[in-house]
Amino acid sequence: MTSAAFPWKNGRPPHLPCGPGDIAENVLTPGDPDRVRLLADMLEDVTDFGRKREFAVITGTYEGVRLTICSTGIGGPSTEIALVELAMLGAKRVVRIGGMSSLVAEYATGSFVAVDRAIGETGTARTYRAAGGEAAASPRIVNGLVGAAAQLGLTCRPGMVASTDSYYFGQDRRYRPVDDGQDLSANFIDRFQAQGAIGVEMESEITMTVGRAIGLETGCLLGVHGNRATDDWLDDYEATQRNLLRIAGRAFSSTEWELRSKS
């Protein structure tokens, strides 16, 4: 029977549209459900489990390794739900794949960052720090992502990002179409830069902190969709999203080879 403390039924979670045996040990988590559909044709032997709320889930193989792609929606609460339910369904390693705004000119739009640490004060991460969570990626995943990108001829550098619960005010964006000088500004971007962050986004701190607390090995691979230092914006980022799968899929493949070679 289901209960308020554990509202699962017949081994199926209350949010993700899947059940026992459906989730691979290696998982990629984009935010946007539409990106799951975009990447589906890059996998082989795909099973589409459908969509429930912001959670779309598929499982297939990439370069011979079984791989699940599960969207998380935007921000902390839905990302936490996805991570916890994925872990209970058998996920072992999770890499967030998504976009960020660079805070430094040298990280141009279309380039990639393998997040090694995150700063921020997102509410969900704060909650999970009480359970031992820490916003630090698995070094093996970070190194695997950087190495896989190099194999593919793509530039990916490690770096620290800032995560925020706010897309507009918390990232010093206007919330009116015309800059009339009335928008609030708290200089969050300046503060993030002063702490050493090279980018800003909304889910990395949550992914790594929740993952660490519940026993997942995690990392975050981000494509630069915007650059706040140059005010450049990537209007068409389909190629960037596909390259996120190519890099992370190759990293998982290489990691699996490493694990087999040591067994």
Side-chain angles (χ1 to χ4, degrees), residues 38 112 234 236-246:
L38 172 69
F112 300 94
L234 193 65
D236 183 1
Y237 47 77
E238 179 176 335
T240 300
Q241 291 299 313
R242 290 185 178 274
N243 279 331
L244 290 172
L245 172 54
R246 294 176 66 213

Side-chain angles (χ1 to χ4, degrees), residues 10-234:
N10 299 323
R12 299 182 67 86
H15 302 96
L16 300 188
C18 50
D22 294 338
I23 300 300
E25 291 188 355
N26 299 317
V27 181
L28 301 181
T29 55
D32 186 353
D34 288 339
R35 292 179 193 166
V36 178
R37 305 287 180 261
L38 172 69
L39 301 176
D41 65 4
M42 298 177 67
L43 303 182
E44 297 179 346
D45 304 318
V46 175
T47 301
D48 187 337
F49 301 105
R51 175 178 173 178
K52 190 175 181 182
R53 299 194 182 197
E54 58 265 73
F55 307 110
V57 182
I58 62 173
T59 294
T61 59
Y62 187 83
E63 294 190 351
V65 175
R66 192 165 183 253
L67 179 66
T68 292
I69 305 178
C70 172
S71 59
T72 63
I74 297 175
S78 60
T79 298
E80 181 246 14
I81 287 171
L83 291 169
V84 171
E85 295 186 1
L86 286 166
M88 289 189 182
L89 289 169
K92 302 296 184 186
R93 291 166 289 277
V94 174
V95 173
R96 156 167 156 67
I97 54 172
M100 63 170 248
S101 286
S102 174
L103 302 182
V104 289
E106 55 266 33
Y107 285 77
T109 53
S111 60
F112 300 94
V113 173
V115 179
D116 51 18
R117 297 188 66 82
I119 58 172
E121 280 298 325
T122 61
T124 303
R126 189 182 310 120
T127 298
Y128 272 80
R129 282 200 291 272
E134 180 186 359
S138 160
R140 180 172 65 160
I141 288 181
V142 173
N143 293 335
L145 293 170
V146 173
Q151 292 176 22
L152 295 166
L154 300 168
T155 299
C156 177
R157 291 172 284 185
M160 183 177 75
V161 301
S163 299
T164 172
D165 286 329
S166 167
Y167 183 83
Y168 286 96
F169 180 52
Q171 298 185 44
D172 296 326
R173 285 190 171 98
R174 295 203 308 266
Y175 52 88
R176 294 179 177 85
V178 177
D179 185 4
D180 57 6
Q182 300 301 308
D183 286 322
L184 298 174
S185 178
N187 297 317
F188 287 104
I189 296 300
D190 290 342
R191 282 187 255 169
F192 295 151
Q193 287 177 312
Q195 294 177 75
I198 55 88
V200 60
E201 50 79 77
M202 299 183 71
E203 290 86 23
S204 289
E205 186 191 28
I206 294 93
T207 297
M208 295 185 291
T209 306
V210 173
R212 180 69 65 92
I214 66 176
L216 290 170
E217 188 176 5
T218 61
C220 301
L221 176 66
L222 305 179
V224 179
H225 287 176
N227 188 301
R228 299 301 295 272
T230 63
D231 204 28
D232 187 28
W233 183 257
L234 193 65

